Amino acid sequence: MNSGRSFSKLTRLGDLIDFRNDIVHPKDNPKGEAIFVGLEHVERNTGIRIGAEKVDLTELTGRRARFFAGDIVYGYLRPYLNKVWTAEFDGICSVDQYVFITRENVDRNYIAHFFRSEQFLKTAPVDSTPGQLPRIRSGEIADTPIALPPLNEQRRIAAILDKADALRRKRKHALDLLDNLIQSIFLEMFGSPESNPKGWKQGRISDLLEDTQYGTSEKAGEKGDYPILRMGNLTADGRMNFESLKYIDLDDKDLEKYTVRRGDILFNRTNSADLVGKTAVFDRDERFAFAGYLVRARVKKGVSPYYVASYLNSRHGKATLRGMAKSIVGMANINAKEMQSIPILIPDAKIQRAYSDALASIEALRAVSKRHMRLLDSSFSSLQSRAFSGQL
């Protein structure tokens, strides 16, 4: 809706906010406890704080910035992560976050929405000095232009954006519930892998596999006959991501060796300690190649690849992988032989099929929710654009 209240007045963001430069330093011998919020405790894009921790100020090992309830806390390191939240309490944060106080003539929520908008990310200059993570400097933030309607208009616009953002959060919550449901169904059908309450036969992953194969080491590029799956195409939660694809040419004699087919398991054998062992099931009919940091595993007849992948992606599976990974120059590695040696419960084929069917139903619901989420994100981005150009 266009209210007809368009405005053209631009001002510097620095004229509407003040930087709070209140630092807690170990050399000042601070006493007592405080609540600490780091970048890891703030969700991307939404302004939601997802965690915090209580710290003993006498044990601080580095500087911290102090914030107070109502301050806007902005993560200036890797600004594309868009980690901005409004403090609900007094506390301290990492020094890679700026703390802002809004002045009396502006609505705090309007400013916070602007910080999270695409307009701000596009307008504010980002320093990309070689060897350093991208960051926004305080002076660049202060010089960023912002449309400034009257205070009552700021509040009206912020309220509209709040309602639109609430719809996005509800959809995201629905997606989270579906992910939790998958974990719950796995435990309900198979029981805890640690205690094996259902008394399943125990074996090794190799007992369930027909063969394994390392991917090709040929260099990929922007052109080629076959798209190639790399470690970034496997998500941390065990799904395939077909974005940012590269391409490769393969000789006919290597096609069977270095390509995947529907139902193949892909295992990420080399990555950081947290991500090594990412596992997903390839679920397309097109022919894709796969790269050398991946292992392709094919299951025996009657075995569900989704059960094997879910087992490796379970909390128990990830703990097992972390315990066996070998670190090499900052990277962790688990080779194909080691992966096959992992202990696993072996339920009967019927219940594995039932699990695969349940998973397929949930993934279908999840696909619909993801489409709705993309539409909501697009609509919200359009609203933001209109909001900060005087068209809302």
Side-chain angles (χ1 to χ4, degrees), residues 236-388:
D237 60 355
R239 292 184 172 87
M240 299 299 307
N241 175 2
F242 295 99
E243 297 177 0
S244 302
L245 288 169
K246 298 284 188 181
Y247 295 84
I248 195 170
D249 292 322
L250 288 174
D251 291 336
D252 289 346
K253 63 182 177 60
D254 290 329
L255 280 180
E256 181 59 28
K257 186 176 182 181
Y258 293 133
T259 58
V260 288
R261 62 189 185 210
R262 181 181 286 273
D264 282 347
I265 297 170
L266 289 171
F267 176 86
N268 182 196
R269 67 184 179 92
T270 302
N271 207 317
S272 66
D274 289 335
L275 295 177
V276 68
K278 290 188 297 181
T279 307
V281 178
F282 182 73
D283 58 358
R284 289 194 175 188
D285 293 320
E286 302 96 321
R287 180 161 262 176
F288 279 70
F290 64 106
Y293 284 144
L294 302 178
V295 175
R296 183 193 69 199
R298 282 187 179 148
V299 296
K300 294 178 179 178
K301 185 176 180 180
V303 174
S304 165
Y306 294 97
Y307 166 69
V308 178
S310 294
Y311 193 94
L312 288 170
N313 287 320
S314 69
R315 292 187 185 92
H316 172 74
K318 288 185 180 298
T320 301
L321 292 166
R322 282 195 299 270
M324 69 191 302
K326 300 188 296 290
S327 292
I328 304 173
V329 196
M331 298 291 278
N333 183 72
I334 300 172
N335 63 39
K337 186 175 180 181
E338 291 166 333
M339 182 269 283
Q340 292 180 82
S341 73
I342 294 173
I344 189 172
L345 303 179
I346 306 180
D348 60 55
K350 183 178 179 180
I351 195 166
Q352 289 188 48
R353 284 196 301 273
Y355 175 72
S356 295
D357 291 343
L359 194 62
S361 297
I362 293 172
E363 288 297 335
L365 289 173
R366 194 175 186 279
V368 172
S369 290
K370 286 285 285 185
R371 285 198 295 272
H372 290 169
M373 188 75 205
R374 286 192 291 270
L375 287 173
L376 285 172
D377 284 343
S378 177
S379 297
F380 187 71
S381 178
S382 176
L383 272 177
Q384 282 182 322
S385 178
R386 293 163 57 196
F388 297 111

Side-chain angles (χ1 to χ4, degrees), residues 43 169 171-181 183:
E43 190 174 63
R169 293 181 187 183
R171 180 59 62 181
K172 184 179 183 304
H173 181 60
L175 283 167
D176 291 341
L177 289 177
L178 287 174
D179 287 341
N180 292 335
L181 180 59
Q183 297 174 35

Side-chain angles (χ1 to χ4, degrees), residues 36-51:
F36 171 76
V37 178
L39 286 176
E40 68 274 17
H41 298 128
V42 182
E43 190 174 63
R44 296 182 62 174
N45 300 320
T46 66
I48 298 175
R49 181 182 56 80
I50 54 177

